[in-house]
Amino acid sequence: MAISSVSLSTGGKPESVYEAVGGHPTFAALVDAFYAGVAQDEPFLAMYPDGHELEGAKWRLCAFLEQYFGGPTTYSEQRGHPRLRMRHMPFPVTPEARDRWLTHMRAALDEIALPPLYDELMWDYFQRAATAMINHPGEGQPSPLI
């Protein structure tokens, strides 16, 4: 089962978001900027099973985002269907964790300075996906719908 990717049409020939924003170098820069922030956020970093060793996490996020936004299907070829909620279930993803993730991703998007159309498109996806990953209530929060 293939996951869908996002693409835009540019005068008759569909162009993927992946291609439109510059391909692998852009996604690698986004992920590097994101994890630079994560590495400085000790409470958030504690959620990562490998601790300060983030190379595997970087590869997975980069490959997933490239595939989702219309690039190579390396992620699915090597790891199977993304199944994001299932893959995040072992970790307590609270509303606070979502907010921390989004803070680092917003800073990363700002750092790579995509054209506004693509920034908005990606930011919208990140907000929706991060909210969908919540699987544990925060303090004083009702349980999420699972």
Side-chain angles (χ1 to χ4, degrees):
M1 180 167 136
I3 66 168
S4 63
S5 62
V6 178
S7 64
L8 302 175
S9 179
T10 54
K13 180 184 175 210
E15 181 179 70
S16 68
V17 172
Y18 174 83
E19 293 168 342
V21 300
H24 177 74
T26 300
F27 284 89
L30 175 67
V31 169
D32 284 346
F34 172 76
Y35 278 109
V38 169
Q40 302 303 311
D41 185 345
E42 287 296 330
F44 189 63
L45 187 60
M47 288 183 66
Y48 283 80
D50 298 326
H52 288 272
E53 173 48 53
L54 296 172
E55 290 308 309
K58 282 182 174 184
W59 182 89
R60 289 185 297 274
L61 181 58
C62 190
F64 170 75
L65 292 177
E66 287 178 338
Q67 179 173 307
Y68 182 82
F69 287 105
T73 57
T74 310
Y75 184 94
S76 286
E77 290 165 10
Q78 293 190 16
R79 294 185 48 87
H81 191 281
R83 300 179 307 229
L84 292 179
R85 280 206 38 96
M86 184 203 77
R87 291 185 194 271
H88 288 83
M89 276 299 167
F91 313 104
V93 181
T94 63
E96 179 188 357
R98 178 217 37 218
D99 293 348
R100 285 177 179 270
W101 192 95
L102 286 170
T103 295
H104 297 301
M105 189 53 78
R106 181 68 258 167
L109 279 169
D110 291 346
E111 185 173 318
I112 67 167
L114 295 173
L117 170 68
Y118 299 106
D119 182 278
E120 271 185 51
L121 182 111
M122 292 176 84
W123 182 237
D124 178 66
Y125 170 71
F126 293 144
Q127 291 178 92
R128 289 181 293 109
T131 297
M133 294 306 106
I134 295 172
N135 60 20
H136 191 277
E139 288 188 36
Q141 300 289 322
S143 293
L145 299 174
I146 297 180

